[in-house]
Amino acid sequence: MNDLFYRLMKTALQEAEKGVAEGEVPVGAVLAGPEGRIIAKAHNQPIALNDPTAHAEILVLREAGTLRKNYRITGATLVVTIEPCLMCLGAALNARISRLVFGAHDPRCGAARSFYDLLGEGRLNHTIELIPGIMEKECGKLIQDFFRVRRAKDTRSRRGTEVVVTGSTRNRLVPLKAGHVGSNPTLSANKIP
């Protein structure tokens, strides 16, 4: 069974890498039927689709529901590179999937164990078998590298930011200084030359 999970996780990682190329947070998901055949695969696309619900897990569940002509996807295994958030785990519960396999834990938003333990509640009318930590290092590295690069870009872009100061006889560009709030020079702790 572990060989199957590794094979599916490799496919989910390939999907997550597509997200990196598109500027999306790199999360990939694969949904497999009881026999292990892939039903659907996707990566995060909230930016591309202008849809806050376009997480990889939601997209594979939607596709599988459409293919099966049923919102219940019993017997399926959902494989995700990162521990699902509350929204995605709630959708998986409503879809009645049988098993959740994920790579890296998400201490900020993970709903399967890390931040919340929705599956451990004991009050839900459906249970999902949980298999965490498959290819955890690879999955964690992909998302950590993505955010490391994004933070570096954000820092570089903030350093060179300039603001147009109006209200004088001519507009002029003034570099933002430390302590400057937004683009409103009157809120800045620094005097503008």
Side-chain angles (χ1 to χ4, degrees):
M1 196 61 122
N2 272 351
D3 288 344
L4 172 64
F5 298 152
Y6 282 98
R7 181 178 60 81
L8 294 171
M9 187 60 78
K10 285 179 184 177
T11 302
L13 274 166
Q14 290 169 351
E15 283 296 317
E17 288 168 359
K18 289 179 187 177
V20 171
E22 296 172 11
E24 301 277 3
V25 173
V27 177
V30 173
L31 191 71
E35 72 293 338
R37 199 181 99 254
I38 294 174
I39 299 168
K41 57 186 179 178
H43 58 279
N44 274 7
Q45 296 185 60
I47 298 167
L49 299 177
N50 297 309
D51 179 356
T53 69
H55 291 196
E57 302 94 322
I58 301 292
L59 296 175
V60 296
L61 292 170
R62 285 179 184 161
E63 185 176 341
T66 299
L67 290 171
R68 288 196 170 179
K69 297 183 181 355
N70 193 337
Y71 73 99
R72 297 256 167 102
I73 311 162
T74 57
T77 298
L78 177 61
V79 179
V80 190
T81 55
I82 304 298
E83 180 180 1
C85 68
L86 276 170
M87 174 183 69
C88 294
L89 191 52
L93 283 160
N94 283 320
R96 302 295 194 265
I97 66 159
S98 296
R99 182 180 300 118
L100 169 63
V101 177
F102 71 83
H105 291 266
D106 183 353
R108 293 183 179 201
C109 298
R113 183 171 278 170
S114 298
F115 190 74
Y116 297 103
D117 188 8
L118 192 58
L119 298 179
E121 272 290 303
R123 296 181 291 167
L124 301 172
N125 63 345
H126 178 67
T127 58
I128 295 176
E129 179 187 359
L130 180 63
I131 302 169
I134 300 294
M135 297 182 70
E136 184 172 10
K137 288 180 184 174
E138 296 89 335
C139 295
K141 183 176 179 348
L142 182 64
I143 202 155
Q144 288 169 351
D145 289 350
F146 174 81
F147 282 112
R148 187 176 302 115
V149 168
R150 180 180 265 185
R151 281 190 298 273
K153 282 181 184 177
D154 287 349
T155 301
R156 282 194 302 271
S157 68
R158 280 192 294 255
R159 282 187 201 136
T161 304
E162 297 180 322
V163 61
V164 175
V165 179
T166 59
S168 62
T169 54
R170 61 184 169 80
N171 293 340
R172 66 189 195 280
L173 289 176
V174 178
L176 292 178
K177 297 179 181 176
H180 193 85
V181 179
S183 61
N184 186 343
T186 61
L187 298 177
S188 175
N190 299 316
K191 300 282 185 207
I192 295 182

